[in-house]
Amino acid sequence: MTPTYEDFVSNADAVCAEIATACRLARRDPGEVELLAVTKNHEAWAPTYAARYGLAGVGENRVQEAIDKQPQVTAKLRWELIGHLQSNKAKIAATHFDRVQSVDSTKLLTRLDRAAAEIERPLAVLLQINAGHDPAKFGVDLADAPALLGHALGCVHLRVDGLMTIAPLSDDPAVAKRTFANLRELRDQLAAEFSTPLTELSMGMSGDLALAIAAGSTQVRVGTALFGKREI
Ligand SMILES: *Cc1c(COP(=O)(O)O)cnc(C)c1O
């Protein structure tokens, strides 16, 4: 059943309060951490509520699902692709998203760069890093990140904003903590080595956002805590 907007507001207020608390504990300004509403598996009401609440962006996992929703959402939003992208869908992704967070191969970079050139619109990207060494996750290994970034910086139609990771599923918070620390350290190393800021650190979800903020996250991607459990 579709929740009411009032239900959504109470969820969103709670998530914002959790972000504010985590920022206070980490002595960070809450303005440095964006809440990205993850609207996958929810119909157009979800991005519409997010926009009405004042959130600037939504995250979607699948290209086709986002394309189906977009015409039903009149509010202005930034659409970000957070799910795995096959390189044969690069053009359609570049056309329908403002940023692709799941870039994990040189082949995909090359395809996205070419697509952005064709549609004459620069595309923002994040590099997805498997910072938790999780065999079940996409993303390049930490050791392969410098080569991927080197390639990305050569793609003139792409703008590399930073890095993204997903922590392994685990009951032990130390696992997420280590994953986020790995991403933060990698970012600091790469930024120095390549003299590029890589300001965006997209990390943290409903269950681990406070840990991510403590480690330097600039964007938490939250679905369940905002919209409830997904039915599919
Ligand atoms: C689904 C998803 C999220 C949101 O997860 P929740 O636990 O529902 O907050 C965040 N990031 C990615 C990449 C996802 O696929």
Side-chain angles (χ1 to χ4, degrees):
M1 214 183 59
T2 306
T4 65
Y5 179 66
E6 286 65 35
D7 293 335
F8 172 78
V9 168
S10 75
N11 290 346
D13 285 350
V15 172
C16 289
E18 190 184 351
I19 292 171
T21 301
C23 285
R24 182 152 28 79
L25 291 171
R27 299 176 195 281
R28 298 185 57 199
D29 173 357
E32 290 173 17
V33 183
E34 186 195 354
L35 172 57
L36 184 78
V38 175
T39 49
K40 67 180 182 200
N41 304 147
H42 296 296
E43 306 279 334
W45 60 267
T48 303
Y49 284 3
R52 184 169 163 197
Y53 189 76
L55 302 182
V58 293
E60 285 280 341
N61 259 38
R62 289 199 300 268
V63 175
Q64 190 57 49
E65 186 183 328
I67 292 175
D68 291 343
K69 260 174 245 182
Q70 283 170 348
Q72 305 171 55
V73 182
T74 48
K76 201 174 138 45
L77 277 169
R78 200 178 65 251
W79 292 77
E80 302 209 29
L81 182 64
I82 60 173
H84 185 65
L85 177 62
Q86 288 172 316
S87 46
N88 62 1
K89 294 200 183 135
K91 176 123 184 231
I92 187 153
T95 306
H96 287 273
F97 287 90
D98 300 293
R99 185 158 74 173
V100 176
Q101 299 205 1
S102 47
V103 176
D104 62 356
S105 74
T106 54
K107 183 177 171 190
L108 181 56
L109 279 167
T110 302
R111 296 281 186 96
L112 288 171
D113 190 40
R114 197 191 306 156
E118 281 170 17
I119 63 174
E120 296 179 11
R121 191 169 75 120
L123 178 69
V125 298
L126 301 183
L127 305 182
Q128 183 174 353
I129 312 296
N130 190 356
H133 310 287
D134 182 351
K137 294 283 189 297
F138 290 105
V140 294
D141 291 341
L142 293 164
D144 297 328
L148 190 66
L149 177 61
H151 190 90
L153 294 174
C155 295
V156 298
H157 304 97
L158 302 182
R159 188 187 76 210
V160 188
D161 289 344
L163 308 178
M164 179 271 230
T165 199
I166 308 169
L169 260 185
S170 170
D171 293 331
D172 180 2
V175 173
K177 208 171 158 182
R178 194 168 337 110
T179 302
F180 299 145
N182 285 345
L183 195 73
R184 166 65 185 269
E185 270 171 42
L186 176 70
R187 191 280 304 278
D188 293 348
Q189 281 166 20
L190 293 175
E193 188 181 332
F194 290 84
S195 303
T196 185
L198 299 173
T199 41
E200 194 84 288
L201 276 183
S202 172
M203 56 187 193
M205 320 201 308
S206 295
D208 56 21
L209 67 87
L211 291 171
I213 289 169
S217 172
T218 59
Q219 187 194 60
V220 291
R221 309 176 307 266
V222 178
T224 309
L226 288 176
F227 300 111
K229 280 214 162 45
R230 291 176 286 272
E231 281 168 25
I232 36 173

